[in-house]
Amino acid sequence: MSVLKRVIPCLDVDKGRVVKGTNFVDIRDAGDPVELAERYDAEGADELVFLDITASHERRDTIVELARRTADNVFIPFTIGGGIRSVADARAVLAAGADKVSVNSAALARPELIGELAEVLGSQCVVIAIDARLRSPAAPGGGAEDAAGDDSWDVYVDGGRHPVEGRDAVAWAREATDRGAGEVLLTSMDRDGTTDGYDIELTRAVADAVAVPVIASGGAGELRHLSEAIIEGDADAVLCASIFHYGTHTVREAKDHLRAAGVPVRLS
């Protein structure tokens, strides 16, 4: 029996509003998060991901309230990331109704957090989010292999502003899942918001390196990009934002396309 592939709208939340940018900048408003979530639920989305990008050190109350409002109005699984720095933070979000938590910068700062979350909550609740950018041959760590076409990707934090020295995206995905993360949310910073399509090479490299599902993120602009990420990139799910937020396509149109391309999906 074929494993069903998932279509997951992503909602970046800043100060209570959904926003979307290009390459992590040029941010535009896209609407109310719960209203959009209800729409995507009705259209047949498999899951939702909320990423709180608010520039604040005290975000837990905000994301807990978002989880509570979403759980009251939406009936599909959803993940919340942003501001999760401890087991207590994660428990609060899950208790409010979220199904999974996503960790990124906090896990890079203290990788042991992944194992702590997995031990207490279960690996199925822990998503490691990775923001990756193709390493230039001239960049630190780049060299003859990169120039020869053996691509590698650096890991970035703080909304894509800072690279993490010594962290390769594929190696970090492998380590994070070995520590207990049950899923990888992989965003190409080079492609994010460009509508030029997912980074297939990056997605496939990570999918080949880990034994857990990989969610491709960053760059969807046409329906064919979704099937390419799954068929060519070996992704288990595709994360989409602009393509849905601004009405280019609906979730149902995305799923109809995937089914026509031979990708098994759930049709409600």
Side-chain angles (χ1 to χ4, degrees), residues 60 63-64 80 83-96 98 100-103 106-107 110-123 125-126 179:
R60 193 171 91 172
I63 60 176
V64 168
I80 286 192
I84 305 293
R85 299 182 177 87
S86 67
V87 171
D89 290 342
R91 274 179 162 162
V93 171
L94 296 177
K100 308 174 194 176
V101 294
S102 170
V103 290
R110 195 172 68 85
E112 295 79 11
L113 174 62
I114 300 169
E116 293 166 4
L117 292 170
E119 182 178 358
V120 174
L121 307 173
S123 291
C125 292
V126 183
R179 287 180 177 272

Side-chain angles (χ1 to χ4, degrees), residues 4 7 42 45 68 84 86 97 124 146 183 219 234:
L4 297 179
V7 175
R68 186 174 295 112
I84 305 293
S86 67
Q124 77 282 354
D146 296 323
E183 200 162 27
D234 203 22

Side-chain angles (χ1 to χ4, degrees), residues 98-175:
D99 298 271
K100 308 174 194 176
V101 294
S102 170
V103 290
N104 188 337
S105 301
L108 283 158
R110 195 172 68 85
E112 295 79 11
L113 174 62
I114 300 169
E116 293 166 4
L117 292 170
E119 182 178 358
V120 174
L121 307 173
S123 291
Q124 77 282 354
C125 292
V126 183
V127 179
I128 184 68
I130 300 175
D131 298 331
R133 174 170 281 160
L134 182 65
R135 180 180 303 149
S136 165
E145 287 188 350
D146 296 323
D150 186 8
D151 290 338
S152 55
W153 295 264
D154 289 316
V155 176
Y156 279 68
V157 292
D158 299 329
R161 288 186 291 274
H162 302 111
V164 181
E165 186 174 353
R167 280 292 184 190
D168 172 79
V170 177
W172 172 233
R174 188 183 297 114
E175 177 183 340

Side-chain angles (χ1 to χ4, degrees), residues 5-12 18-21 30 36-37 39-40 43 45-51 185-187 191-195 197-198 214-230 235-255 257-258:
K5 304 300 183 179
R6 292 167 289 154
V7 175
I8 307 176
C10 179
L11 300 96
D12 291 336
V18 175
V19 297
K20 189 57 192 168
L36 283 173
R39 186 176 95 196
Y40 298 142
E43 289 179 4
D46 296 293
E47 299 180 20
L48 300 167
V49 169
F50 295 91
L51 298 177
L185 171 52
L186 180 66
T187 300
R191 299 297 187 93
D192 186 70
T194 65
T195 70
Y198 300 95
V214 173
I215 305 169
S217 172
E222 301 177 29
L223 295 179
R224 66 178 177 85
H225 294 153
L226 281 62
S227 53
E228 289 170 355
I230 293 171
D236 296 271
V238 284
L239 202 74
C240 307
S242 302
I243 194 174
F244 294 148
H245 296 342
Y246 301 117
T248 307
H249 293 288
T250 66
V251 174
R252 181 56 190 245
E253 288 171 348
K255 288 195 165 186
H257 164 78
L258 289 173

Side-chain angles (χ1 to χ4, degrees), residues 9-56:
C10 179
L11 300 96
D12 291 336
V13 181
D14 184 13
K15 300 180 180 68
R17 299 287 292 178
V18 175
V19 297
K20 189 57 192 168
T22 302
N23 303 126
F24 285 47
V25 295
D26 298 329
I27 304 298
R28 290 191 292 161
D29 184 89
D32 177 79
V34 178
E35 289 179 4
L36 283 173
E38 288 182 280
R39 186 176 95 196
Y40 298 142
D41 185 5
E43 289 179 4
D46 296 293
E47 299 180 20
L48 300 167
V49 169
F50 295 91
L51 298 177
D52 190 315
I53 63 171
T54 301
S56 168

